[in-house]
Amino acid sequence: MKHYILALDQGTTSSRAILFDRAGQICASAAQEFPQHFPQSGWVEHDPNEIWNSQLTVARKVLHEHGVSGAQIAAIGIANQRETTLVWDRKSGEPIAPAIVWQDRRTADLCQQLRAEGKAKLIADASGLELDAYFSATKLKWLLDHVPGARERARRGALAFGTIDSWLTYKLTGQHVTDVSNASRTMLFNIHLMRWDSDLLHLFDIPEELLPQVVSSSEEVGTTHAALFGAEIPVAGIAGDQQAATFGQACMTPGMVKNTYGTGCFMLMHLGRHPVASHNRLLTTVGWRVDGATDYLLEGSVFMGGATVQWLRDGLGIISQSSEVEALAASVPDSGGVYMVPAFVGLGAPHWDPYARGTLVGLSRGSNRGHIARAALEAIAYQSAELMAAMQKDVAAAHRQIPLTEVRADGGAACNNMLMQFQADLLGVPVIRPTVTETTALGAAYLAGLAVGYWETQEEIRAQWRCERRFEPAMPEQRRLELMGQWQRAVERSRGWELPAD
């Protein structure tokens, strides 16, 4: 009997594997961190083989520790850190260079140049994305420009480009594919025509021979090599982590919003079958494609969410474990006027300032570790509140009557009660945490399960969603406006700090 779905959740700092049953409940899980590499300021890299080895290790571990054989797995679903870019040799399967991570800013100057040339509208109209180093296109161009012979090898069809979903699928099955959600994050994909865009490929000088086949988010794309898990298992679900989390949160009706508090923070609103163009520097992106129907999302991305807490731990050393931050922040009644803008790798939506850098303002002699910890947590909520304000403006401008009634929260930092309450206060609507907070993995599992008949319908999935805790807003409106005003002052002090190269 096929009892389980195996979800592979490949994130920016760790790889996870989770077994789900038919009730959408976690049966077993395993996780493993892998190294981050920072060759120089603004650069962030991963070793693709370290990613693969960590993902394979945890997948085998979760099966072994739960006493499950590969033959009992109905399908595998993959959710992945998006935009991270790698190129490998089709014959040897070896990467030609380290993967360039989504946080990497090495191509910021190229983006500034393209913006000055008036290319931003061409890119936004086709891809729905902001012209920024965040996305894969400029990263891929950089690799082809800087690895000797790479572009010529790419034109001969000797190389393969992929985001992490493509890399994992290739290692698992030998297939070179990506799903529509991940394709829509490359800045090379036309989200209206649902295909690679020839104008964008020309703009970035990307040979089409390099690109993966684009598939649906829920379909069987291949089976795993039998030696990996002792059986051939269908790989049947693929989605970028934030789209997967939106699906896992059952946000399948226009107007529903989820916010993931992971390494970054990612707020997504379901738009239905018709995209909405953003006028507030948000992203219009493909959510998923299931049974031939494409759902679109409006997204705001914050680069430093939970990673801000990691910096308190690894950079400042004021906590030894990330879980200690809530108690430290609670040791003071408020931030004492201290504001942290965690623009360590620039600012994401709605500012899109690659030259912003982290700032800590409002310090006095009375400031202590507790105030800094609290300011760090509050910064996560402030950034997310900015996204929601921009989202509501976009929806209103499009004359879409989509009332905001709640935000569904997930990700590691969603377990922080202080953060969730402060977020509800800033948004003015309830923030709801589900019983299963591993919604990224759950969404990948649902997409895979639908493809193989493990779950029959999306309605069945919707019925499985459960609330664990509801955080009601309690802050007076005037106080909320004061805090947001002070936050905006702090943001302005972080902007444009690192000047672009001449």
Side-chain angles (χ1 to χ4, degrees):
M1 289 290 292
K2 305 291 187 181
H3 295 295
Y4 307 99
I5 298 289
L6 174 61
L8 306 182
D9 180 5
Q10 205 300 298
T12 309
T13 57
S14 67
S15 296
R16 307 174 70 81
I18 302 180
L19 276 180
F20 289 96
D21 63 15
R22 290 185 195 277
Q25 296 298 305
I26 294 173
C27 299
S29 67
Q32 181 177 310
E33 290 193 3
F34 59 89
Q36 314 291 297
H37 303 282
F38 309 98
Q40 62 189 70
S41 177
W43 290 32
V44 189
E45 295 180 347
H46 289 158
D47 180 332
N49 287 318
E50 289 176 341
I51 288 178
W52 164 242
N53 290 331
S54 65
Q55 190 66 78
L56 180 61
T57 296
V58 293
R60 286 173 165 169
K61 181 179 181 181
V62 80
L63 297 184
H64 175 74
E65 291 187 350
H66 201 60
V68 172
S69 70
Q72 293 175 279
I73 305 299
I76 290 174
I78 296 172
N80 58 283
Q81 54 163 312
R82 303 172 303 172
E83 297 94 22
T84 294
T85 300
L86 63 142
V87 176
W88 65 93
D89 184 282
R90 288 186 187 273
K91 189 173 182 181
S92 69
E94 283 300 307
I96 67 169
I100 303 179
V101 180
W102 58 272
Q103 296 168 317
D104 190 284
R105 309 306 296 170
R106 75 184 68 179
T107 58
D109 291 342
L110 171 59
C111 292
Q112 287 292 97
Q113 177 187 327
L114 290 169
R115 187 176 296 281
E117 294 172 0
K119 303 299 185 184
K121 188 176 188 302
L122 167 70
I123 290 168
D125 287 349
S127 71
L129 303 179
E130 184 77 14
L131 172 51
D132 191 79
Y134 176 30
F135 305 106
S136 308
T138 59
K139 302 179 194 298
L140 178 54
K141 175 175 169 54
W142 190 96
L143 286 170
L144 296 179
D145 287 343
H146 288 82
V147 177
R151 185 168 274 103
E152 188 275 328
R153 292 168 67 193
R155 290 196 175 105
R156 285 194 284 108
L159 300 180
F161 151 73
T163 43
I164 297 300
D165 61 304
S166 297
W167 174 240
L168 293 181
T169 305
Y170 169 79
K171 297 295 281 187
L172 288 165
T173 71
Q175 301 299 311
H176 183 212
V177 301
T178 190
D179 92 296
V180 291
S181 72
N182 280 293
S184 76
R185 310 295 297 193
T186 61
M187 216 157 66
L188 297 171
F189 188 74
N190 191 306
I191 64 169
H192 310 286
L193 302 177
M194 299 299 288
R195 63 176 184 235
W196 298 117
D197 190 279
S198 57
D199 291 335
L200 296 180
L201 295 179
H202 177 74
L203 177 65
F204 294 105
D205 195 14
I206 306 297
E208 193 161 1
E209 295 82 359
L210 192 63
L211 303 177
Q213 176 190 354
V214 181
V215 298
S216 293
S217 310
S218 179
E219 71 170 275
E220 188 173 332
V221 299
T223 56
T224 61
H225 303 301
L228 294 176
F229 304 110
E232 294 184 354
I233 306 170
V235 174
I238 304 172
D241 51 10
Q242 301 316 315
Q243 289 97 327
T246 308
F247 200 81
Q249 282 276 37
C251 292
M252 301 167 183
T253 303
M256 295 187 75
V257 176
K258 75 90 197 172
N259 197 23
T260 293
Y261 298 83
T263 302
C265 287
F266 302 89
M267 183 175 285
L268 290 91
M269 174 185 283
H270 192 282
L271 295 173
R273 301 284 160 78
H274 303 286
V276 168
S278 177
H279 301 287
N280 293 278
R281 307 194 75 183
L282 299 179
L283 311 174
T284 307
T285 196
V286 175
W288 48 81
R289 187 170 180 83
V290 178
D291 293 333
T294 302
D295 288 57
Y296 292 91
L297 306 171
L298 194 61
E299 175 175 336
S301 309
V302 167
F303 295 157
M304 294 290 291
T308 308
V309 177
Q310 287 181 326
W311 179 74
L312 295 181
R313 181 192 69 190
D314 302 335
L316 287 189
I318 65 173
I319 53 175
S320 58
Q321 297 181 61
S322 296
S323 57
E324 297 170 3
V325 71
E326 185 170 5
L328 180 57
S331 68
V332 292
D334 53 44
S335 71
V338 176
Y339 286 79
M340 178 187 292
V341 182
F344 299 103
V345 291
L347 287 170
H351 305 287
W352 296 108
D353 184 351
Y355 304 109
R357 287 298 177 265
T359 59
L360 194 58
V361 298
L363 292 169
S364 69
R365 283 293 299 272
S367 302
N368 61 34
R369 295 187 315 138
H371 294 112
I372 293 173
R374 193 168 187 119
L377 284 184
E378 291 182 353
I380 298 171
Y382 283 126
Q383 292 176 101
S384 296
E386 286 188 306
L387 300 181
M388 179 54 70
M391 239 169 226
Q392 290 177 303
K393 288 178 184 176
D394 276 339
V395 169
H399 306 293
R400 299 279 287 273
Q401 302 303 313
I402 303 178
L404 174 67
T405 58
E406 65 182 34
V407 171
R408 296 184 173 184
D410 56 64
C415 298
N416 189 306
N417 293 332
M418 175 180 288
L419 172 59
M420 292 298 96
Q421 183 58 55
F422 191 69
Q423 187 71 87
D425 288 341
L426 287 183
L427 293 176
V429 297
V431 172
I432 303 175
R433 188 168 61 205
T435 54
V436 178
T437 57
E438 294 286 359
T439 53
T440 299
L442 180 58
Y446 280 150
L447 289 166
L450 282 171
V452 298
Y454 188 82
W455 291 289
E456 295 293 335
T457 65
Q458 294 185 38
E459 287 68 31
E460 183 183 353
I461 288 168
R462 252 193 290 256
Q464 292 187 351
W465 188 90
R466 296 287 184 274
C467 168
E468 182 266 323
R469 181 165 172 179
R470 185 181 179 95
F471 297 86
E472 296 285 350
M475 183 181 289
E477 176 73 3
Q478 186 58 38
R479 179 59 176 160
R480 184 182 71 83
L481 292 174
E482 289 171 1
L483 291 175
M484 287 301 298
Q486 286 290 88
W487 164 256
Q488 293 294 343
R489 289 181 66 206
V491 169
E492 286 307 309
R493 282 156 174 76
S494 77
R495 299 199 62 178
W497 183 262
E498 185 172 286
L499 297 175
D502 292 332

